[in-house]
């Protein structure tokens, strides 16, 4: 039986242990991407197939096994993050854009919630609190990380602008 996922504007993913950076980026861009470096090949295949997730892997053999099983799989070639994201966006024909309402926690994959400066007072350094106005909190109580548009934002903008040209 084949369960090839139909093209969707918002596919979900499972990434192999080599692709932690790709997973963090996809989460930031609002995609549900499972990543756990302790998952072995059989578990990755099972998750991709049973949950209709796109498997992202650097392993040719795993890629072939996924396709043979009827899962959707992308063999990520480049180690450059922009090229890797570009390949995913082209193969699935999806746009990778940052939407601050859709972002997920790069660290744990839970949705992020936009919060006011007051709500994160005491949870981020004073300097950050006074300098920035947009904050997000991870909705997973076990994680709870706070994010803001800081200096790393320039890198994100640069990668995204290279991506969609
Ligand atoms: Zn989190």
């Amino acid at each position: 039986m084949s369960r090839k996922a139909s093209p969707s504007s918002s596919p979900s993913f499972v990434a192999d242990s080599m692709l932690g950076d790709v997973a963090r980026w996809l989460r930031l861009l609002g995609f549900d991407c499972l990543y756990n470096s302790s998952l072995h090949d059989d578990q990755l295949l099972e998750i991709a197939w049973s949950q209709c997730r796109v498997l992202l892997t650097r392993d040719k053999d795993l890629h072939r096994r996924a396709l043979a099983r009827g899962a959707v799989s992308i063999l990520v070639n480049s180690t450059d993050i922009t090229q890797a994201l570009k390949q995913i966006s082209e193969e699935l024909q999806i746009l990778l854009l940052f939407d601050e309402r859709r972002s997920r926690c790069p660290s744990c994959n839970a949705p992020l919630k936009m919060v006011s400066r007051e709500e994160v007072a005491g949870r981020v350094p004073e300097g950050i609190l006074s300098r920035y106005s947009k904050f997000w909190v991870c909705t997973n109580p076990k994680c709870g990380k706070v994010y803001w548009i800081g200096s790393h934002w320039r890198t994100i903008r640069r990668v995204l602008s290279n991506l969609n040209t």
Side-chain angles (χ1 to χ4, degrees):
M1 186 171 70
S2 169
R3 280 214 268 172
K4 202 159 194 150
S6 57
S8 154
S9 59
S10 194
S12 56
F13 299 89
V14 56
D16 81 9
S17 61
M18 305 287 288
L19 295 170
D21 56 341
V22 172
R24 282 188 291 279
W25 267 90
L26 288 172
R27 290 167 174 177
L28 185 73
L29 299 175
F31 295 94
D32 174 352
C33 184
L34 290 184
Y35 172 78
N36 180 334
S37 57
S38 66
L39 289 175
H40 54 71
D41 287 3
D42 289 337
Q43 289 172 309
L44 291 168
L45 284 175
E46 179 59 29
I47 290 168
W49 186 79
S50 66
Q51 300 180 18
C52 289
R53 288 176 181 268
V54 177
L55 175 68
L56 302 172
T57 181
R58 284 204 196 287
D59 181 337
K60 273 189 190 140
D61 184 52
L62 181 60
H63 174 64
R64 268 197 293 266
R65 286 175 63 200
L67 295 181
R69 200 165 164 185
V72 180
S73 175
I74 295 179
L75 184 62
V76 178
N77 302 309
S78 181
T79 51
D80 174 77
I81 188 65
T82 308
Q83 291 309 317
L85 291 171
K86 205 164 200 160
Q87 184 193 357
I88 294 165
S89 128
E90 285 170 359
E91 289 202 20
L92 296 176
Q93 300 193 337
I94 52 171
L95 276 179
L96 299 181
L97 300 167
F98 178 71
D99 177 346
E100 59 190 22
R101 294 156 306 178
R102 287 184 57 204
S103 245
R104 286 176 172 257
C105 178
S107 162
C108 79
N109 199 37
L112 295 178
K113 187 176 77 169
M114 290 184 80
V115 293
S116 66
R117 184 184 270 152
E118 289 70 33
E119 286 175 84
V120 291
R123 295 175 66 184
V124 297
E126 270 301 315
I128 298 291
L129 198 64
S130 56
R131 212 162 350 134
Y132 300 104
S133 56
K134 276 190 173 172
F135 295 91
W136 292 262
V137 172
C138 176
T139 55
N140 171 5
K142 284 189 195 140
C143 172
K145 286 204 170 73
V146 181
Y147 298 90
W148 57 91
I149 290 183
S151 52
H152 61 286
W153 194 243
R154 233 167 284 149
T155 316
I156 294 173
R157 295 279 291 267
R158 197 188 59 234
V159 169
L160 288 179
S161 66
N162 290 335
L163 199 60
N164 296 309
T165 51

